[in-house]
Amino acid sequence: MQTPVFFMPSITIFTMASDLELMNGGSVFFQQQLDLRGEPNQHVSLHVQIMFRIVMTRIQDKWKSYRHRFVPWIALNLRKNERTIRQVTERSKDRLASDEVVLETLLHLFRALLRNDVAHQEEVLRLLPASTQTRYLSPETTEGPDIGEPKGEHGPIETMFLTVGFCIERKPSSLPFAGTGVFVTRGFVPKGATVAMYPGTIYQAYEPILFQSIWNPFVFRCIDHVLIDGNDKGISKIVYRSCSGRDRLGPFRLSDITWLTANTENPLAVGQYVNNCSNERAANVCYQEYDVPEAFPLELRQYLPNVNYRHDTQRPLRCVVLVALRDIRPGEELFSNYFTIVH
């Protein structure tokens, strides 16, 4: 995956969960310093002071436009490339698929994954109502004509293909020096389909993410300043495992930890490896935020690749899905827009 940078012309930005407030505070501080120009020890010329104020004003105006997407610890970009920036005129227009469509896809796939893994789900199924057990144990019960019977004969990727008509996998990117990418390896992805999920620990705007964010290119910013740390290494990995283990409910796992390994049980949970688009490779997917409803089936939460940093968070679990901007054919690599401006 390419290291994402937050576009900001000719400036280095140090960002944290409350980065906007810090920047505003820093502006006030520097403004106070500049107002001391009449003091005997003040050697800054009036021209430099005026230029500094103009630059700080432009930075603040530009920063307020960048409501979400990737927030590296140190963001630096000296070039403006309009072709790789996604402009969204209104917040409501940043959604290509309705929540109902996203939910339907997730339930459809997760039920198929559980059905094909009943050999390891005995303890979970035993605690479910009889009607729910029948959904997964009866060979005659299917969610669609192509879903395999619950005999454990299909792996996650094959189950995905049989359920939604396509599958994605991590492979070396087609871009030079981009590392790992995500490809559609089989099937056809129609426009508007949920293609992948962005896994990771969910941080509310007031929660600490300082150490986790240092040199971390996988911190994703939502429109409402919620952050998702999708790094599967280092301290980020340790934090996610700890939070996931904390939130178990008896035999029920409320989140998926297998995305931290090479063998994920949810084949959608590879969205953090989708590379940024370029002049030659236009974006074919975009990010869309989705809150998991409280009524989401308990037995299927084990496939959700996200967990709240704090166990007492009162908001619904935030997930981010990648939605197809156009039809995507087998063999194509997925490309997104790291730089999205919501006006």
Side-chain angles (χ1 to χ4, degrees):
M1 176 179 177
Q2 293 175 309
T3 301
V5 290
F6 215 152
F7 172 78
M8 196 68 66
S10 303
I11 194 70
T12 300
I13 305 297
F14 293 82
T15 63
M16 285 185 285
S18 57
D19 40 23
L20 181 58
E21 289 74 16
L22 287 174
M23 180 169 286
N24 289 336
S27 176
V28 172
F29 171 78
F30 284 115
Q31 187 72 33
Q32 293 171 346
Q33 300 305 305
L34 292 177
D35 289 340
L36 297 176
R37 61 181 180 273
E39 296 295 330
N41 295 329
Q42 180 58 257
H43 301 292
V44 181
S45 69
L46 179 61
H47 176 73
V48 173
Q49 296 173 36
I50 294 174
M51 291 300 297
F52 182 81
R53 290 174 177 173
I54 293 174
V55 170
M56 290 301 298
T57 300
R58 293 189 63 183
I59 289 174
Q60 290 187 28
D61 291 342
K62 182 67 87 171
W63 185 255
K64 292 175 182 178
S65 296
Y66 289 82
R67 295 298 185 187
H68 62 317
R69 304 319 177 226
F70 290 92
V71 186
W73 171 243
I74 297 180
L76 174 64
N77 189 1
L78 302 180
R79 296 179 302 172
K80 184 175 181 180
N81 189 346
E82 295 288 354
R83 294 183 60 182
T84 59
I85 296 177
R86 179 170 178 252
Q87 303 274 355
V88 180
T89 56
E90 299 175 19
R91 177 171 175 173
S92 61
K93 294 184 178 179
D94 195 33
R95 309 177 69 83
L96 294 185
S98 67
D99 286 349
E100 291 74 19
V101 171
V102 174
L103 176 61
E104 181 181 358
T105 299
L106 297 185
L107 293 177
H108 198 40
L109 175 60
F110 292 178
R111 283 169 178 159
L113 291 172
L114 194 153
R115 185 178 298 108
N116 279 275
D117 190 39
V118 289
H120 301 95
Q121 301 287 336
E122 293 181 359
E123 189 174 9
V124 169
L125 293 174
R126 180 170 52 84
L127 298 177
L128 298 177
S131 58
T132 305
Q133 292 184 34
T134 302
R135 177 193 295 273
Y136 301 110
L137 296 175
S138 174
E140 290 76 24
T141 302
T142 59
E143 299 297 321
D146 295 326
I147 296 180
E149 293 182 359
K151 298 178 181 178
E153 60 189 34
H154 301 307
I157 294 177
E158 180 70 14
T159 300
M160 180 180 182
F161 175 70
L162 294 173
T163 305
V164 297
F166 62 86
C167 57
I168 57 174
E169 297 182 61
R170 289 177 287 184
K171 298 170 58 177
S173 176
S174 59
L175 295 176
F177 311 110
T180 302
V182 180
F183 291 78
V184 177
T185 54
R186 295 175 62 188
F188 172 81
V189 181
K191 178 180 178 180
T194 300
V195 187
M197 302 182 71
Y198 197 94
T201 305
I202 311 299
Y203 293 85
Q204 305 301 318
Y206 53 84
E207 293 174 342
I209 191 175
L210 172 60
F211 293 107
Q212 298 92 311
S213 64
I214 298 176
W215 300 115
N216 183 356
F218 294 97
V219 179
F220 181 96
R221 178 197 293 277
C222 297
I223 294 178
D224 56 359
H225 302 295
V226 170
L227 301 178
I228 303 179
D229 182 5
N231 197 347
D232 57 6
K233 298 178 178 61
I235 187 173
S236 299
K237 180 177 182 178
I238 295 172
V239 169
Y240 185 92
R241 282 188 175 276
S242 176
C243 294
S244 180
R246 172 203 66 199
D247 291 347
R248 285 185 67 102
L249 186 61
F252 293 97
R253 289 187 290 119
L254 303 184
S255 57
D256 175 30
I257 62 171
T258 63
W259 68 271
L260 297 170
T261 71
N263 301 309
T264 177
E265 294 178 1
N266 175 7
L268 290 176
V270 294
Q272 77 276 34
Y273 285 104
V274 174
N275 281 305
N276 187 37
C277 61
S278 65
N279 289 338
E280 295 74 28
R281 310 289 180 87
N284 50 21
V285 297
C286 69
Y287 303 98
Q288 180 172 310
E289 293 144 33
Y290 172 73
D291 287 337
V292 179
E294 292 185 7
F296 197 87
L298 181 62
E299 72 274 11
L300 300 181
R301 289 180 176 267
Q302 61 183 297
Y303 299 111
L304 293 172
N306 298 97
V307 63
N308 285 314
Y309 177 70
R310 293 184 56 170
H311 72 280
D312 57 351
T313 300
Q314 300 299 313
R315 301 181 61 175
L317 180 67
R318 173 62 53 81
C319 288
V320 169
V321 297
L322 283 79
V323 179
L325 289 167
R326 60 169 175 81
D327 294 344
I328 307 175
R329 301 191 178 279
E332 289 192 62
E333 182 174 359
L334 301 183
F335 293 104
S336 61
N337 292 91
Y338 286 179
F339 314 124
T340 297
I341 303 175
V342 179
H343 297 278

